[in-house]
Amino acid sequence: MTTYFPEVEQITFEGRDSDNPLSFKWYEKDRLVAGTSMADHLRFAVAYWHTMKNQGADPFGEATMDRLWSDFSEPLDRARATCDAAFEFVSKLGVHYYCFHDRDLAPEGDSFAESCKNLEIMVDHAKMLQESTGIKLLWGTANLFSHPRYVHGAGTNPDYHVFAYAAAQVKQALDATKELGGENYVFWGGREGYETLLNTRLKQEQEQMAAFFRMCVEYAERIGFTGQFLIEPKPKEPTKHQYDFDSATILNFLRSHGLIDHFKLNIEANHATLAGHTFEHELAVAAAAGKLGSMDVNRGDLLLGWDTDQFPTDLYATVYAMLEVLAAGGLGSGGMNFDAKVRRGSFEPVDLFHAHIGGMDAFARGLIVASAIIEDGFLEDFKKLRYSSWDGAGAAALAGNSSLDECERFIRAHGEPEVVSGRQEYLENLINNFI
Ligand code: XLS
Ligand code: NI
Ligand code: NI
């Protein structure tokens, strides 16, 4: 059998004293952290589109990536080779999951029927590889944004014909995800938004989207797909204004349309920052609603205002994220999908290993640090004290059993409140002691 990464052997944990760059310094899959193995806490997944398909083209230049598995002229031959390379990569990396869009796995055909056939062929191929390697599908999704037919959106398209096409495509993608035992199914509204209100019925487009989701829920129930449905927020890009702006917006949409029970959220770091939030803010908002489902782990660039999808290496970011994940009680059927791509200049196949190893180590370390912080308890103690008045005088108000009159009586009796410091810098310094 062809090997696509002949220079790389199985990546294993060697610890921080190892000088082998192709080894984990922190990620030790069976190590228990707060009673659970690192592998079970983190549930890493490789993103098929970036890792296997990204060729490094940008608006100013052509493909740069050295990818043997792309050197086939027949689309299905290329798809099979890509799938073989993907499973070799994921196995050698020691990750248990992968994620794909239908069109990553199988090429779009000349007709809808041919696209369906291609997908079926590739699902069989992937299934065989899943069985022989033990690698599992974290989630599947449909690419409803690349083909020109989706230029004005999919579920929110002004033309019912395109809406129906997208729905038919999702039906196939749901079948594929079910067939491969996918544990979740993601909806990312790639072009579900608008460029100008001059040609757009905003309210109707959102109603269309709700109708689209209702049909998906109904179909999943009918075929017995038990994976979790996830929506992935992103505020802009490709469209100027996307309906799934951030966690709060999606929660409001789901509640308004009676869909809240059927979905959780898939939070992506770089999308959070594009929305003007931190990653941990988006995780916390989702978790507060009991809707933290899964994560796309990556990072943006402070100096660039778009979805650069870089690999996560910033320890503060992983610590803050893991504090939220641990507080939420974990990700359930979700995981951490590396929705990240190597830079255009990192064009050798081995760079894919360096990138994932770095991301996995950064999150492993984030997990260890966050768990130690939680175990120490200083943050919780601080918050307990800071909010202590709500256990006493404020308890009735919090429970909805107070009134403006009651508050007035309280103020007349107690006068001016004593304002206390939030001690932000003090707390930040304590965090540094753990890193
Ligand atoms: C793009 C999104 C996309 C989704 C899956 O910005 O992150 O990759 O994760 O469609
Ligand atoms: Ni994503
Ligand atoms: Ni993204």
Side-chain angles (χ1 to χ4, degrees), residues 73-186:
S73 51
E74 276 304 309
L76 272 172
D77 291 341
R78 187 160 60 239
R80 279 192 208 91
T82 303
C83 198
D84 295 343
F87 279 81
E88 182 187 342
F89 178 79
V90 181
S91 296
K92 285 185 168 173
L93 187 62
V95 161
H96 303 302
Y97 289 97
Y98 73 114
C99 301
F100 64 70
H101 300 86
D102 50 359
R103 300 298 182 249
D104 304 331
L105 193 65
E108 176 116 17
D110 288 335
S111 64
F112 181 71
E114 193 183 324
S115 298
C116 295
K117 185 79 207 142
N118 288 348
L119 187 58
E120 266 169 43
I121 292 170
M122 288 312 300
V123 163
D124 285 348
H125 195 81
K127 194 171 183 184
M128 174 201 65
L129 290 169
Q130 282 187 203
E131 277 160 12
S132 63
T133 58
I135 292 164
K136 297 183 278 185
L137 179 62
L138 185 66
W139 49 261
T141 186
N143 180 332
L144 305 178
F145 44 89
S146 294
H147 193 280
R149 83 174 69 84
Y150 296 124
V151 62
H152 302 304
T156 62
N157 200 286
D159 182 1
Y160 168 73
H161 199 137
V162 180
F163 173 101
Y165 204 109
Q169 192 181 324
V170 168
K171 178 176 182 282
Q172 303 296 318
L174 275 168
D175 286 343
T177 303
K178 178 177 183 249
E179 181 65 23
L180 293 172
E183 297 183 22
N184 306 268
Y185 184 90
V186 165

Side-chain angles (χ1 to χ4, degrees), residues 49 101 139 141 145 186 188 232 234 268 271 296 307 339:
W49 54 102
H101 300 86
W139 49 261
T141 186
F145 44 89
V186 165
W188 169 60
E232 180 177 325
K234 186 174 183 182
E268 177 164 325
H271 297 182
D296 273 7
D307 199 15
D339 196 351

Side-chain angles (χ1 to χ4, degrees), residues 11-299:
I11 310 295
T12 57
F13 172 77
E14 292 185 12
R16 67 185 307 192
D17 294 332
S18 164
D19 55 14
N20 173 11
L22 292 174
S23 71
F24 297 118
K25 307 296 180 294
W26 298 90
Y27 178 67
E28 203 178 348
K29 64 179 169 40
D30 297 323
R31 171 171 165 189
L32 296 182
V33 178
T36 303
S37 73
M38 281 193 164
D40 287 345
H41 272 292
L42 300 166
R43 296 169 56 82
F44 289 125
V46 168
Y48 209 98
W49 54 102
H50 285 317
T51 298
M52 306 316 299
K53 308 285 297 254
N54 168 38
Q55 299 287 345
D58 73 9
F60 303 95
E62 293 169 11
T64 58
M65 300 294 164
D66 174 8
R67 302 288 185 254
L68 251 188
W69 56 89
S70 302
D71 286 351
F72 292 82
S73 51
E74 276 304 309
L76 272 172
D77 291 341
R78 187 160 60 239
R80 279 192 208 91
T82 303
C83 198
D84 295 343
F87 279 81
E88 182 187 342
F89 178 79
V90 181
S91 296
K92 285 185 168 173
L93 187 62
V95 161
H96 303 302
Y97 289 97
Y98 73 114
C99 301
F100 64 70
H101 300 86
D102 50 359
R103 300 298 182 249
D104 304 331
L105 193 65
E108 176 116 17
D110 288 335
S111 64
F112 181 71
E114 193 183 324
S115 298
C116 295
K117 185 79 207 142
N118 288 348
L119 187 58
E120 266 169 43
I121 292 170
M122 288 312 300
V123 163
D124 285 348
H125 195 81
K127 194 171 183 184
M128 174 201 65
L129 290 169
Q130 282 187 203
E131 277 160 12
S132 63
T133 58
I135 292 164
K136 297 183 278 185
L137 179 62
L138 185 66
W139 49 261
T141 186
N143 180 332
L144 305 178
F145 44 89
S146 294
H147 193 280
R149 83 174 69 84
Y150 296 124
V151 62
H152 302 304
T156 62
N157 200 286
D159 182 1
Y160 168 73
H161 199 137
V162 180
F163 173 101
Y165 204 109
Q169 192 181 324
V170 168
K171 178 176 182 282
Q172 303 296 318
L174 275 168
D175 286 343
T177 303
K178 178 177 183 249
E179 181 65 23
L180 293 172
E183 297 183 22
N184 306 268
Y185 184 90
V186 165
F187 295 89
W188 169 60
R191 291 187 194 276
E192 312 293 18
Y194 67 89
E195 293 295 328
T196 171
L197 285 175
L198 295 177
N199 63 13
T200 301
R201 288 183 178 166
L202 179 144
K203 186 164 187 281
Q204 179 180 320
E205 290 200 357
Q206 293 188 330
E207 282 161 359
Q208 286 176 211
M209 204 61 228
F212 192 93
F213 284 141
R214 257 180 235 116
M215 295 182 341
C216 296
V217 167
E218 183 273 325
Y219 185 71
E221 279 168 5
R222 187 146 46 84
I223 64 170
F225 174 68
T226 51
Q228 176 66 51
F229 271 2
L230 300 166
I231 301 186
E232 180 177 325
K234 186 174 183 182
K236 53 188 142 215
E237 200 196 320
T239 48
K240 181 171 75 177
H241 190 111
Q242 297 203 174
Y243 296 126
D244 298 334
F245 193 92
D246 60 1
S247 297
T249 309
I250 294 180
L251 291 169
N252 178 55
F253 168 86
L254 291 171
R255 288 194 184 103
S256 322
H257 292 93
L259 287 161
I260 191 79
D261 293 341
H262 303 288
F263 291 85
K264 288 187 175 178
L265 303 184
N266 179 39
I267 307 295
E268 177 164 325
N270 205 164
H271 297 182
T273 48
L274 277 181
H277 301 308
T278 59
F279 190 21
E280 59 271 20
H281 168 86
E282 284 292 86
L283 295 169
V285 171
K291 293 293 177 186
L292 176 54
S294 202
M295 293 154 84
D296 273 7
V297 289
N298 60 14
R299 74 184 152 99

Side-chain angles (χ1 to χ4, degrees), residues 361-412:
D361 271 342
F363 266 95
R365 205 166 166 189
L367 168 66
I368 294 168
V369 172
S371 168
I373 290 171
I374 290 172
E375 197 180 327
D376 180 279
F378 72 92
L379 286 180
E380 208 34 56
D381 291 348
F382 189 87
K383 289 183 192 173
K384 201 165 178 214
L385 196 63
R386 192 165 188 238
Y387 288 85
S388 57
S389 64
W390 291 96
D391 297 328
L398 193 58
N401 299 324
S402 188
S403 64
L404 296 186
D405 304 311
E406 181 51 41
C407 288
E408 184 180 353
R409 268 195 294 282
F410 183 86
I411 292 308
R412 288 191 188 277

